[in-house]
Amino acid sequence: MKIVTLICRILLGLIFVVFGANILHPFLTMPPMPPDAPATHLMNVMGPSGWMTFIGAVQFVGGLLVLIGGTTPLGLVLLGPVLVNILLFHLRLNGGQGIGMGVFATVLEVVLIYAYRANFAGIFTYKATPTA
């Protein structure tokens, strides 16, 4: 399981470091989106508002935290909502097109959450009490 965890950690971390860096400083080309598509309208709002810059920074930092190793649980917590948004974007706005990488990254995330489940024990409880 150690080798599987390491491979998943490296793959997930690299995916988000590369694509987060691409949002912050574009170096990969993206095919043009259809002008009247709902996804195009969303991107036309998110880009100029600076929201995509924030998302890119969260992806980049989350990817680095996963790659570092000791901070993997924090990186997984940051990347979880990003993955939900990626999946919903492709399912709801793109009709499922291009969802493959999102599903792959989600599988990696789930494997890592399972591998680091002891670190999430406090979150998955039904008897939580405030610290005195």
Side-chain angles (χ1 to χ4, degrees):
M1 185 67 175
K2 275 186 166 184
I3 294 173
V4 171
T5 302
L6 180 64
I7 291 169
C8 289
R9 202 167 51 78
I10 290 170
L11 286 174
L12 186 68
L14 285 177
I15 287 169
F16 279 103
V17 166
V18 169
F19 289 109
N22 185 57
I23 292 172
L24 298 173
H25 183 72
F27 53 87
L28 299 171
T29 58
M30 189 172 120
M33 298 171 72
D36 289 335
T40 304
H41 295 299
L42 179 65
M43 287 309 196
N44 286 338
V45 171
M46 291 177 68
S49 70
W51 188 249
M52 284 307 295
T53 303
F54 173 73
I55 298 296
V58 170
Q59 287 183 12
F60 185 78
V61 170
L64 282 178
L65 291 171
V66 168
L67 280 174
I68 289 170
T71 56
T72 297
L74 179 58
L76 294 173
V77 168
L78 288 175
L79 295 178
V82 174
L83 281 167
V84 169
N85 280 297
I86 289 170
L87 294 174
L88 287 175
F89 176 87
H90 287 290
L91 283 173
R92 301 297 300 155
L93 298 177
N94 271 0
Q97 288 182 310
I99 198 169
M101 183 65 84
V103 170
F104 178 67
T106 301
V107 169
L108 295 175
E109 172 104 3
V110 169
V111 169
L112 288 172
I113 287 172
Y114 180 77
Y116 286 89
R117 65 190 175 278
N119 295 285
F120 296 107
I123 295 172
F124 298 113
T125 184
Y126 63 94
K127 294 182 180 183
T129 57
T131 305

